[in-house]
Amino acid sequence: FGRTIPSDEGTAVSVVVKLKKWNVRYVAVLHINDAYGNAFADGIRYAANQLDDGDGRKLTVVNVNIDSGADDAAIRNAIQQLKATQYTYFFGVLTFSVLDRVMIEAYHQQIAGTGLHTWLFSDSLGSAVTRRGFARGTPLERAFRGSGKLTATGGMPGFDDGTGDHRYDRLALAMRKLREDERDLEFLEAHLPREDVEGKYVNHSQVTREEEYLSKPRFVAPFLYDAAVGLGLAACQLASTSSSFDDATTANSFTGEELYQAYVNTTFRGASGLVDLDRITGTRKPQSAFFSLTNFVIDEDDIDDASQVGDQQLPQVRFKGVETSILNSGTWTVIKPYTFNDGTHTIPLDLPVVIEHAYGIGTGLKVVGMILSFVVIGLAFIVGVWTY
């Protein structure tokens, strides 16, 4: 097994690095109680214990889980647990089945949409925030303001990984040229499956003839491209070191195990950055991958007519995803300022502000106290003289 995208546990490292970049010391993780959610949450806790800033301080993590089919009572209890921590940063590893109810409950319990709390999510969020509209001022709209999604990415247009070679952009250009050549399109269509799982004919031209087809790499293409390149480089490495390739009659010059071992030991710079695989697990090391932080802000150019919400007419707003920073080789590079829930770029505190109340004594009581103290001192002096 080998893959060019980091595991969920590896992605969790980027969460910890980003929070520490913001000087956050406390975070609560709300996750679905399944293999994906548990592994992600455990990965955050593990990474938090392993990483520190050299001063011995580590990120404190509290994990709370809910089932994917959780009812309203279970969600209410989970949010109460989050609120009890008094933390202001939360990371959600959630599915769409519970997302809205979680955020509405968080708003009602005043740990979302307050301007003081920050919610980040894993890539399981998908396009749940950007693909639909929200009535302005409603709990969901207020809760999602300034939220964000952290995910592994194959790169970003125009981003330089420090080598001066914009491989992601070069892949994008090659894909567009592929789209422009009719012979290339026909070749691609000829190699796509002609039947679906039920044996019905599939007309792929409905997709391949769309203008958006191959217009940009999107999420998967850079990782698939690098996987193919990695296997090719591993095969070339075997061919250059194996004497069996001198014999043209040899049918199978290396085994699958040999190819796999060569693959996991191959390190190269691909479209998705430096590809370096873990020699034991076969999964890409998170330090060699790109991660991006998408910030959800209201798209002021996409506000629809007012809709009826209860007895009010409220405009429909949509969120747009803004790529604010990218993680490469363990370092976050800021592309655009992150907008938090309060609408500013100021990083919120990770704990509520402690307000000290000074309950002073009134002037009259102070005068009385002074008089009584002089009386006591005077009596003490008189008694002392008398007994002497």
Side-chain angles (χ1 to χ4, degrees):
F1 175 82
R3 67 181 191 179
T4 53
I5 187 171
S7 65
D8 299 326
E9 294 91 335
T11 303
V13 175
S14 65
V15 178
V16 175
V17 174
K18 186 60 184 179
L19 291 174
K20 293 179 77 66
K21 181 73 173 179
W22 284 346
N23 292 320
V24 175
R25 300 162 298 167
Y26 307 93
V27 63
V29 180
L30 179 63
H31 65 95
I32 293 295
N33 185 23
D34 62 10
Y36 167 71
N38 293 336
F40 208 123
D42 290 342
I44 292 177
R45 175 170 285 176
Y46 177 80
N49 288 331
Q50 296 299 311
L51 300 175
D52 62 57
D53 298 322
D55 56 4
R57 294 193 310 168
K58 294 182 179 180
L59 182 68
T60 300
V61 181
V62 172
N63 288 346
V64 177
N65 69 74
I66 56 174
D67 294 330
S68 58
D71 58 20
D72 292 343
I75 290 176
R76 188 180 309 112
N77 178 66
I79 298 301
Q80 287 173 347
Q81 293 181 60
L82 296 183
K83 184 175 183 178
T85 65
Q86 298 189 52
Y87 296 172
T88 60
Y89 284 83
F90 305 101
F91 191 86
V93 187
L94 306 171
T95 58
F96 189 71
S97 61
V98 298
L99 176 65
D100 285 3
R101 290 184 293 147
V102 163
M103 297 310 292
I104 291 174
E105 183 62 34
Y107 175 81
H108 288 315
Q109 293 198 34
Q110 298 184 334
I111 61 170
T114 63
L116 302 175
H117 298 83
T118 301
W119 281 78
L120 302 178
F121 300 92
S122 70
D123 54 9
S124 63
L125 182 73
S127 59
V129 177
T130 56
R131 71 179 180 221
R132 52 186 172 143
F134 300 87
R136 188 188 287 274
T138 55
L140 275 181
E141 186 268 326
R142 291 179 179 272
F144 281 129
R145 288 183 194 174
S147 61
K149 180 177 69 172
L150 200 150
T151 182
T153 180
M156 293 181 63
F159 186 79
D160 183 1
D161 63 0
T163 65
D165 191 355
H166 298 260
R167 293 175 177 83
Y168 180 91
D169 291 337
R170 289 166 57 191
L171 174 63
L173 177 60
M175 289 176 62
R176 289 194 295 272
K177 288 183 177 180
L178 193 67
R179 169 71 177 82
E180 296 168 359
D181 193 310
E182 184 65 26
R183 293 171 301 177
D184 289 335
L185 279 180
E186 291 177 354
F187 178 83
L188 288 174
E189 291 173 352
H191 287 77
L192 294 173
R194 290 296 179 185
E195 297 180 348
D196 61 15
V197 293
E198 298 178 352
K200 297 179 180 179
Y201 173 76
V202 178
N203 182 12
H204 292 290
S205 63
Q206 295 178 349
V207 175
T208 59
R209 301 297 168 166
E210 290 289 332
E211 291 186 4
E212 286 294 312
Y213 183 63
L214 297 180
S215 62
K216 52 186 176 181
R218 300 185 187 277
F219 176 74
V220 177
F223 296 116
L224 290 177
Y225 177 83
D226 286 345
V229 169
L231 287 172
L233 290 174
C236 290
Q237 175 65 22
L238 286 173
S240 65
T241 57
S242 176
S243 60
S244 62
F245 276 85
D246 296 333
D247 183 2
T249 62
T250 303
N252 297 311
S253 298
F254 51 78
T255 65
E257 176 62 25
E258 290 173 331
L259 179 60
Y260 172 75
Q261 290 301 325
Y263 175 62
V264 298
N265 283 281
T266 298
T267 300
F268 63 99
R269 288 195 175 275
S272 64
L274 177 66
V275 180
D276 187 12
L277 306 182
D278 188 289
R279 308 302 187 255
I280 298 176
T281 65
T283 298
R284 186 171 185 167
K285 296 177 181 178
Q287 297 88 346
S288 74
F290 285 108
F291 296 90
S292 67
L293 178 60
T294 301
N295 185 200
F296 299 118
V297 298
I298 292 177
D299 187 351
E300 298 295 344
D301 296 326
D302 191 5
I303 299 179
D304 298 330
D305 295 334
S307 60
Q308 191 71 31
V309 179
D311 58 353
Q312 293 181 300
Q313 288 282 335
L314 300 175
Q316 288 282 320
V317 300
R318 301 183 72 91
F319 287 96
K320 62 180 179 180
V322 178
E323 303 294 337
T324 59
S325 55
I326 191 165
L327 178 67
N328 181 30
S329 301
T331 301
W332 279 100
T333 300
V334 175
I335 301 171
K336 293 182 179 179
Y338 191 96
T339 302
F340 293 91
N341 187 252
D342 62 356
T344 72
H345 304 312
T346 303
I347 300 174
L349 299 176
D350 53 7
L351 288 176
V353 176
V354 177
I355 301 176
E356 296 183 0
H357 296 280
Y359 297 101
I361 301 175
T363 303
L365 289 177
K366 290 181 179 180
V367 172
V368 172
M370 290 293 293
I371 294 174
L372 290 176
S373 65
F374 283 124
V375 170
V376 170
I377 293 173
L379 290 174
F381 178 77
I382 292 172
V383 171
V385 172
W386 180 71
T387 55
Y388 181 78

